[in-house]
Amino acid sequence: MIGKKGMKMGLLVLLLAALLLVSGKKGQKEAGGEGGYVETVGKAEESVSEDGGEEELAGRLHAQAAVLLDMDSGRVLFEKNGSEVLPMASTTKIMTCILALEEGNREDVVTISAYAAGQPKVHLGMQKGAAYTMNDLLYSLMLESHNDSAVAIAEHIGADSLNLPKAEERTREQSREAVQAFCDRMTEKAREIGCENTCFLTPNGLDAEVESESGMKRIHSTTAEELAAILRYCVTQSEKKEAFLEITQSPSYSFSDQSGKRSHTCVNHNALLTMMDGALTGKTGFTNNAGYCYVGALEKDGKRFALALLACGWPNHKTWKWADCKNLFGYGLEQYDCHEFMPETTLSDIPVLEGASESGSPYEDVSVSARRAGNVLPIRMLTKQTESVEAQARLRPSLEAPVEEGMRIGSISYYLTSPSGLHLFLAEEEVYAGESVKRVDFPYVFRFVWGRFLIV
């Protein structure tokens, strides 16, 4: 029979053992470390052969700046001076149209001001005080590229927030103020789409320049890359994309003013619609400063492209833009195909320092599984045969208890790669802890030691 003195000694031994075990578990932190991440890389199968053609294509293009864009991913597939800031003429009107569709009402009756009626050719020939529906003016804007229709649309929407007199009673300065408010909103919309180098000073694309109080000059301008991105937004992202295509794909459109005394017929001047199989939409443009410009979209064989051409010749080279369109769209159709990528990534279990095992033993190493969010793969996109997708996992080398299930422990980044050195970020997937782990504490270890003592 054990005396009181023996019981006290036994309890002291148990306490000492528990303290030593807790101290040992904490020592893992010093040995293993917690800071930093461990990176692992996995690739989908890729071809090692390279194909060229970009330099040769750039030499054949007439445009000073040109871009071919994948409308599904937003990736630039080809560019020639794609970030050069240049005037864009009436290709401006794609933004005028989409903004009017999103923030205006197609059933509105638009009364024409003296300022709108006085716009230069190409124009519908509207008179001050005449009235048209917004819907009819949008067809006039996009099919015939009428400058007065663009200003009437902009003035009607821009005046709503300025508390101006009725259109027929406005001064020219008040009309210009309303149009400028709409143009400012056009530039703001471009920023929302991600176009930081686009500046809209007119709703019709006529050349314009302003000077700020600090002396900085701005011109009505964009880049080929951003113009293509704006068309991508109009066709694939805007809530009014169906209406945009309905208007811009119409071969012709007839309408009258509200009095019924004047009738008009507009014919679509986007020749690409009948020139190339799969042509979706587009807008031409020309001014003395901008030269011939074009922005257009094509869908064929499961591929959707947008292109933009700036400064594509001056008179008498009106057809150069169509040759450039055929070359760019042909390049995209030939060089790019739809591929699906499933890059393999091995995610190892991550050790948990000071983690309490389910068995109750403080001697047992504890780890958690890495669980991916599963919201990225498979990646489907247009790529060349030489291109592939690489997965780069970045995980914590260890965790410190307690760990909660679902806690973020790292991420997997996906990159488009090629033997030529391409390394383009595509997406990121979060990685979470697959289980919860409690922290080893004194009561946990004491229960273990007590159980061992009772067994003995």
Side-chain angles (χ1 to χ4, degrees):
M1 189 171 181
I2 302 175
K4 290 185 178 180
K5 186 175 182 180
M7 288 291 291
K8 289 181 179 180
M9 288 297 295
L11 286 172
L12 286 174
V13 170
L14 284 172
L15 290 170
L16 180 61
L19 288 170
L20 288 172
L21 282 172
V22 171
S23 176
K25 291 291 285 185
K26 289 184 177 180
Q28 292 178 357
K29 183 174 180 180
E30 298 177 2
E34 187 189 3
Y37 288 81
V38 174
E39 295 186 356
T40 58
V41 176
K43 288 187 178 182
E45 184 179 351
E46 75 175 24
S47 169
V48 296
S49 63
E50 285 279 21
D51 53 21
E54 289 86 354
E55 291 185 8
E56 189 270 338
L57 173 60
R60 283 190 286 122
L61 295 177
H62 300 95
Q64 181 176 329
V67 156
L68 180 69
L69 189 78
D70 173 13
M71 284 206 296
D72 290 317
S73 69
R75 176 192 173 198
V76 173
L77 305 178
F78 172 88
E79 64 94 15
K80 172 187 175 183
N81 302 322
S83 58
E84 183 177 355
V85 176
L86 293 167
M88 65 290 209
S90 284
T91 61
T92 295
K93 291 174 176 131
I94 65 171
M95 179 61 90
T96 307
C97 181
I98 201 65
L99 192 59
L101 287 169
E102 289 181 349
E103 302 190 1
N105 187 333
R106 294 176 75 174
E107 304 307 315
D108 275 1
V109 174
V110 179
T111 303
I112 309 305
S113 68
Y115 181 67
Q119 295 300 306
K121 292 183 178 180
V122 175
H123 57 65
L124 184 62
M126 300 181 292
Q127 297 177 346
K128 177 185 175 181
Y132 296 84
T133 66
M134 174 70 74
N135 184 67
D136 292 341
L137 292 181
L138 288 171
Y139 280 93
S140 167
L141 173 81
M142 297 306 291
L143 302 191
E144 291 281 359
S145 199
H146 288 143
N147 292 322
D148 50 357
S149 295
V151 170
I153 291 167
E155 185 176 347
H156 178 76
I157 297 176
D160 282 349
S161 61
L162 299 178
N163 196 28
L164 296 176
K166 295 180 180 180
E168 59 269 30
E169 299 173 359
R170 290 176 199 145
T171 65
R172 287 183 177 271
E173 184 57 39
Q174 288 173 328
S175 293
R176 279 194 290 268
E177 184 182 354
V179 172
Q180 187 57 55
F182 184 83
C183 291
D184 290 344
R185 178 67 187 115
M186 291 170 70
T187 301
E188 182 183 346
K189 184 69 177 183
R191 299 291 182 273
E192 293 171 7
I193 297 171
C195 302
E196 299 293 330
N197 298 303
T198 297
C199 175
F200 291 107
L201 299 179
T202 68
N204 47 26
L206 294 178
D207 295 325
E209 180 179 312
V210 296
E211 184 174 339
S212 66
E213 295 180 357
S214 62
M216 180 180 296
K217 291 184 178 181
R218 296 186 303 158
I219 65 169
H220 184 83
S221 57
T222 187
T223 69
E225 181 175 347
E226 293 189 357
L227 184 58
I230 292 171
L231 184 63
R232 178 196 178 217
Y233 172 80
C234 294
V235 175
T236 68
Q237 297 173 304
S238 171
E239 61 181 11
K240 297 295 184 179
K241 56 183 180 289
E242 290 85 5
F244 180 86
L245 289 174
E246 171 199 326
I247 293 169
T248 59
Q249 290 177 346
S250 299
S252 63
Y253 184 79
S254 297
F255 62 97
S256 301
D257 67 357
Q258 290 295 285
S259 70
K261 295 178 180 179
R262 300 194 65 190
S263 298
H264 309 273
T265 297
C266 298
V267 177
N268 199 326
H269 289 270
N270 179 17
L272 194 74
L273 291 175
T274 56
M275 189 182 299
M276 287 196 73
D277 182 32
L280 275 178
T281 185
K283 185 71 190 73
T284 58
F286 174 82
T287 66
N288 290 332
N289 287 344
Y292 291 111
C293 302
Y294 184 72
V295 59
L298 177 138
E299 181 175 14
K300 189 176 182 181
D301 301 332
K303 311 169 190 179
R304 296 198 296 178
F305 303 104
L307 63 72
L309 306 169
L310 298 176
C312 193
W314 275 259
N316 295 313
H317 301 298
K318 194 173 183 178
T319 62
W320 279 3
K321 60 181 177 289
W322 306 128
D324 281 4
C325 283
K326 289 183 177 180
N327 280 323
L328 275 173
F329 282 139
Y331 171 82
L333 290 168
E334 179 183 350
Q335 295 290 332
Y336 289 88
D337 288 299
C338 299
H339 292 107
E340 182 176 290
F341 297 96
M342 289 284 292
E344 295 182 2
T345 308
T346 301
L347 301 179
S348 302
D349 290 349
I350 299 176
V352 179
L353 309 180
E354 301 182 39
S357 68
E358 292 184 359
S359 68
S361 171
Y363 297 106
E364 185 177 328
D365 291 333
V366 180
S367 63
V368 296
S369 61
R371 184 180 67 202
R372 55 204 310 163
N375 59 346
V376 173
L377 298 180
I379 293 176
R380 301 179 181 90
M381 62 184 302
L382 287 180
T383 61
K384 293 182 177 180
Q385 289 295 330
T386 55
E387 297 172 336
S388 187
V389 173
E390 172 185 294
Q392 183 173 310
R394 190 168 180 264
L395 303 179
R396 297 274 290 274
S398 62
L399 301 168
E400 184 175 354
V403 174
E404 294 293 331
E405 181 180 358
M407 184 178 82
R408 186 183 185 278
I409 59 176
S411 63
I412 305 173
S413 296
Y414 296 92
Y415 297 89
L416 186 67
T417 64
S418 76
S420 63
L422 175 69
H423 197 70
L424 177 68
F425 174 78
L426 299 176
E428 184 176 86
E429 182 179 10
E430 301 291 340
V431 178
Y432 304 99
E435 304 84 29
S436 295
V437 177
K438 294 181 179 180
R439 185 184 182 89
V440 167
D441 53 17
F442 180 80
Y444 171 88
V445 176
F446 186 80
R447 283 193 298 271
F448 172 77
V449 175
W450 180 262
R452 286 290 185 91
F453 175 78
L454 289 178
I455 291 174
V456 173

